[in-house]
């Protein structure tokens, strides 16, 4: 029924538009264009890297591309801000408000694949902490270092995450203007004990082929939600394990999927979704 309902909704939407257009002639489309304000986006080309609590030389970075209705000619500048979200109570509150750390001018951009201006930023955890004025004891696994971009056009208009819709930030343009990598405690060796997987599906019909794939010393076991809106699975990593990986495999409706991994230390080791990242995931276990 899910597929039929979605297709039916799309057909009805198109039918309504066609009927309205036929009734009103060119008036509808004229009104749409007359009332449309043209804007600009910073499309994410790539964003990757990991901040490791135990290795401050680890890096995170992103590449973004500016697009406006003059194909980049309206670009004035892009300001990059950094802030810190303290999510761990044990060491007090070290929250840091936004600080401007870099301004990208047109000369700092290069032409991307489609001739649009493209720029990149990358930093080590050590450098980010220094910019925020944080020292050992101020941060821990689970805290977030946040980066926010503000695009300014030559006419003075600005665009950022505060005034962007979901269509802009995610589903179509992939222009979040905002990145918040979580500092992770990456165990140097597998943490033994029982892990819990909490699986959820917002539509309530299971994961439609998606799965969590766990490999322990070469033996792979897959866990999924066959039906319904939620489920729980457990697995055990034995003492002395040398290889332990956990990966998410995509299904037909990943936008409905969320999951959490609870470590043997009772910490939230991983949380992702909707549309979880595909492939091997890094667990955050500080108490191992």
């Amino acid at each position: 029924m899910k597929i039929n309902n979605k297709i039916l909704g799309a057909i009805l939407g198109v039918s309504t538009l066609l009927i309205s257009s036929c009734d009103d002639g060119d008036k509808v489309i004229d009104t749409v264009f007359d009332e449309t304000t043209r804007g600009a986006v910073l499309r994410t080309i790539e964003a990757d890297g990991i901040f490791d609590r135990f290795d401050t030389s680890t890096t995170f970075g992103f590449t973004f591309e500016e697009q406006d209705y003059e194909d980049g000619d309206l670009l004035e500048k892009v300001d990059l801000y950094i802030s810190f979200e303290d999510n761990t109570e044990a060491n007090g509150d070290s929250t840091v408000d936004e600080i401007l750390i870099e301004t990208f001018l047109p000369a700092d951009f290069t032409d991307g694949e489609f001739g649009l201006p493209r720029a990149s930023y990358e930093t080590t955890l050590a450098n980010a902490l220094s910019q925020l004025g944080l020292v050992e004891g101020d941060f821990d696994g689970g805290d977030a270092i946040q980066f926010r971009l503000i695009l300014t056009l030559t006419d003075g208009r600005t665009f950022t995450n505060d005034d962007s819709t979901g269509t802009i930030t995610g589903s179509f343009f992939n222009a979040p203007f905002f990145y918040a990598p979580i500092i992770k405690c990456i165990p140097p060796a597998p943490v033994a004990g029982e892990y819990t997987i909490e699986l959820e599906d917002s539509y309530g019909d299971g994961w439609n082929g998606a799965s969590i794939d766990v490999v322990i010393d070469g033996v792979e076991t897959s866990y999924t939600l066959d039906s319904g809106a939620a489920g729980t699975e457990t697995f055990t990593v034995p003492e002395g394990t040398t290889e332990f990986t956990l990966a998410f495999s995509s299904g037909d409706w990943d936008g409905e999927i969320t999951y959490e991994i609870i470590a043997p230390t009772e910490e939230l080791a991983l949380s992702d979704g909707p549309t979880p990242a595909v492939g091997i995931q890094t667990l955050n276990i500080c108490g191992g």
Side-chain angles (χ1 to χ4, degrees):
M1 290 301 294
K2 172 166 58 177
I3 297 176
N4 291 337
N5 288 341
K6 291 182 177 179
I7 294 175
L8 178 60
I11 293 173
L12 290 175
V14 172
S15 299
T16 302
L17 178 60
L18 290 174
I19 292 170
S20 298
S21 298
C22 291
D23 290 344
D24 299 336
D26 294 332
K27 293 180 181 179
V28 173
I29 194 64
D30 289 343
T31 300
V32 170
F33 281 118
D34 287 343
E35 296 181 358
T36 297
T37 299
R38 295 182 178 182
V41 296
L42 294 177
R43 181 181 290 107
T44 298
I45 303 301
E46 185 178 26
D48 58 19
I50 293 175
F51 286 150
D52 182 0
R53 166 70 178 84
F54 304 124
D55 181 2
T56 59
S57 69
T58 48
T59 63
F60 174 82
F62 47 87
T63 298
F64 56 93
E65 186 175 75
E66 194 270 353
Q67 183 174 2
D68 55 57
Y69 55 90
E70 294 292 339
D71 292 332
D73 288 344
L74 299 181
L75 171 63
E76 175 76 18
K77 65 175 181 175
V78 175
D79 289 323
L80 173 60
Y81 289 82
I82 190 172
S83 60
F84 180 74
E85 182 178 15
D86 193 329
N87 295 318
T88 52
E89 298 180 357
N91 59 352
D93 187 359
S94 302
T95 298
V96 179
D97 293 334
E98 282 190 334
I99 301 169
L100 176 64
I101 57 172
E102 188 164 345
T103 295
F104 296 88
L105 299 175
D108 299 317
F109 288 76
T110 58
D111 287 342
E113 180 181 357
F114 302 106
L116 298 172
R118 185 176 291 190
S120 298
Y121 177 80
E122 185 177 64
T123 182
T124 63
L125 175 57
N127 181 63
L129 293 170
S130 176
Q131 291 172 319
L132 292 162
L134 299 175
V135 296
E136 184 67 35
D138 292 334
F139 64 95
D140 208 344
D143 294 336
I145 294 179
Q146 303 173 329
F147 301 93
R148 186 166 73 99
L149 298 168
I150 300 179
L151 166 63
T152 300
L153 300 185
T154 53
D155 60 9
R157 286 183 297 155
T158 62
F159 299 87
T160 187
N161 60 315
D162 293 337
D163 48 21
S164 298
T165 66
T167 302
I168 296 296
T169 59
S171 60
F172 186 75
F173 284 103
N174 188 22
F177 291 88
F178 185 82
Y179 310 92
I182 301 295
I183 299 175
K184 294 191 174 184
C185 299
I186 303 176
V191 176
E194 184 179 81
Y195 290 74
T196 300
I197 311 174
E198 300 289 350
L199 311 95
E200 295 186 3
D201 183 88
S202 61
Y203 194 83
D205 65 342
W207 274 18
N208 298 284
S211 64
I212 300 292
D213 306 321
V214 175
V215 176
I216 300 174
D217 283 341
V219 178
E220 179 176 313
T221 306
S222 294
Y223 302 89
T224 189
L225 186 63
D226 291 324
S227 61
T232 300
E233 299 282 355
T234 61
F235 65 90
T236 299
V237 175
E239 292 285 351
T241 295
T242 58
E243 178 195 11
F244 167 43
T245 62
L246 183 147
F248 175 76
S249 293
S250 180
D252 291 333
W253 301 97
D254 291 356
E256 301 169 359
I257 292 175
T258 58
Y259 71 90
E260 292 184 347
I261 308 294
I262 310 300
T265 57
E266 299 186 356
E267 297 172 85
L268 179 60
L270 178 62
S271 177
D272 203 359
T275 315
V278 175
I280 294 177
Q281 305 301 305
T282 301
L283 301 183
N284 174 52
I285 307 177
C286 296

